[in-house]
Amino acid sequence: DAKTTQPNSMESNEEEPVHLPCNHSTISGTDYIHWYRQLPSQGPEYVIHGLTSNVNNRMASLAIAEDRKSSTLILHRATLRDAAVYYCILGEGGSNYKLTFGKGTLLTVNP
Amino acid sequence: GAGVSQSPSNKVTEKGKDVELRCDPISGHTALYWYRQSLGQGLEFLIYFQGNSAPDKSGLPSDRFSAERTGGSVSTLTIQRTQQEDSAVYLCASSPISSGPGRFFGPGTRLTVL
C-alpha cells in the first residue's frame, strides 16, 4: 500500500495561516494526492486533491513538491471550525478508487 | 441537496447477534464505499461497489461480513454473529464515478457490541 507520513498533531492560532505537511516518498506516477478532514463526530469531508501542479479551491491550497515526494495543505486563515483531523492520502494506482486513510494530523486552532 | 444518509445512527447489540447497517448514497452516484473507524484509529477500507457489483471486497475482515447493493442505490452491510471487536463507527461514502477524487461521506453508524 502507498504510505503517507504526517505529524500526529499541530496547533495554530485563529486567523493565521496553517501549513500541514505530508511525506509520501513511495508515491508512484499515477497516484493522486488527496486531502480529507474529519470534524469531531462527523464523517470525513473532501478538501482538495492534486497530481503534479499546485491546486487552489475555496477551502484550501495544495502545494506539491517538484519530486512529488511531499505536499503541504495550506489553510490561509484558520478558523475555529477548521479544528479537525486532516488526512493526506494517496489514491492507489490508475483507478484511484481505493483511498487508505492513516491516522492523520489533529489540528487544534486557538482563539 | 440530500447528502449520504446512514441508518441507524447508533446500534447496540449483543455478542452473537446479526446486524444490518444501511447506506443511502447521493442520487446518481455510481460508486459506493464502506469503511469502518475504530476508536482513535484511521479509516479502514471494507468494500467498494461500482453500480451493483463489488469489484473489491478485499477489506472485509472475515466471512461474517457481507454487503450488497441493489438498484445501483441503497447498500446494506451485514455483520453476522457479531463480536466485541466489531464495535466501531461504520462509514459509507459515495462518489459520481469510482476514480473521482471526491468521496461524500455519511455521518456513520456507531455499532457497539456488548
Side-chain angles (χ1 to χ4, degrees), chain B residues 36-108:
Chain B
R36 75 175 175 182
Q37 187 170 32
S38 302
L39 188 63
Q41 301 297 310
L43 275 72
E44 176 187 9
F45 170 82
L46 298 179
I47 188 169
Y48 144 69
F49 286 92
Q50 179 59 36
N52 290 336
S53 64
D56 190 345
K57 305 178 183 180
S58 63
L60 295 177
S62 75
D63 59 8
R64 296 185 296 105
F65 287 72
S66 63
E68 65 174 12
R69 189 179 185 195
T70 55
S73 181
V74 172
S75 176
T76 303
L77 177 69
T78 301
I79 309 173
Q80 295 179 310
R81 305 180 302 281
T82 52
Q83 304 294 313
Q84 288 184 330
E85 60 263 28
D86 299 335
S87 296
V89 176
Y90 288 80
L91 290 154
C92 174
S94 69
S95 64
I97 57 175
S98 63
S99 58
R103 306 279 190 274
F104 296 84
F105 281 82

Side-chain angles (χ1 to χ4, degrees), chain B residues 6-50:
Chain B
Q6 293 186 244
S7 60
S9 55
N10 279 287
K11 176 71 177 178
V12 180
T13 190
E14 294 179 348
K15 179 180 172 181
K17 301 282 190 184
D18 298 352
V19 295
E20 283 190 354
L21 311 179
R22 178 187 168 106
C23 171
D24 280 274
I26 293 173
S27 178
H29 280 194
T30 59
L32 186 147
Y33 315 80
W34 282 98
Y35 290 83
R36 75 175 175 182
Q37 187 170 32
S38 302
L39 188 63
Q41 301 297 310
L43 275 72
E44 176 187 9
F45 170 82
L46 298 179
I47 188 169
Y48 144 69
F49 286 92
Q50 179 59 36

Side-chain angles (χ1 to χ4, degrees), chain A:
Chain A
D1 289 350
K3 298 290 187 192
T4 62
T5 304
Q6 299 177 254
N8 290 332
S9 62
M10 290 186 65
E11 210 168 312
S12 173
N13 295 320
E14 200 174 7
E15 298 191 3
E16 290 183 357
V18 182
H19 290 231
L20 296 162
C22 181
N23 288 318
H24 28 78
S25 58
T26 60
I27 191 170
S28 68
T30 57
D31 287 342
Y32 278 79
I33 302 157
H34 305 255
W35 283 83
Y36 282 74
R37 71 181 185 180
Q38 188 172 21
L39 280 64
S41 301
Q42 295 187 26
E45 174 188 28
Y46 167 79
V47 177
I48 201 167
H49 79 285
L51 184 62
T52 56
S53 304
N54 294 345
V55 185
N56 299 294
N57 67 20
R58 63 174 180 82
M59 290 182 70
S61 296
L62 176 60
I64 302 173
E66 199 168 329
D67 63 5
R68 301 212 322 129
K69 294 184 184 299
S70 65
S71 61
T72 302
L73 180 71
I74 303 165
L75 307 178
H76 295 286
R77 289 183 64 196
T79 70
L80 297 179
R81 289 176 295 177
D82 290 324
V85 177
Y86 286 78
Y87 297 97
C88 169
I89 306 155
L90 299 184
E92 299 176 13
S95 67
N96 276 295
Y97 73 85
K98 191 172 183 177
L99 301 183
T100 302
F101 287 70
K103 294 190 178 180
T105 296
L106 174 62
L107 175 66
T108 302
V109 180
N110 300 314

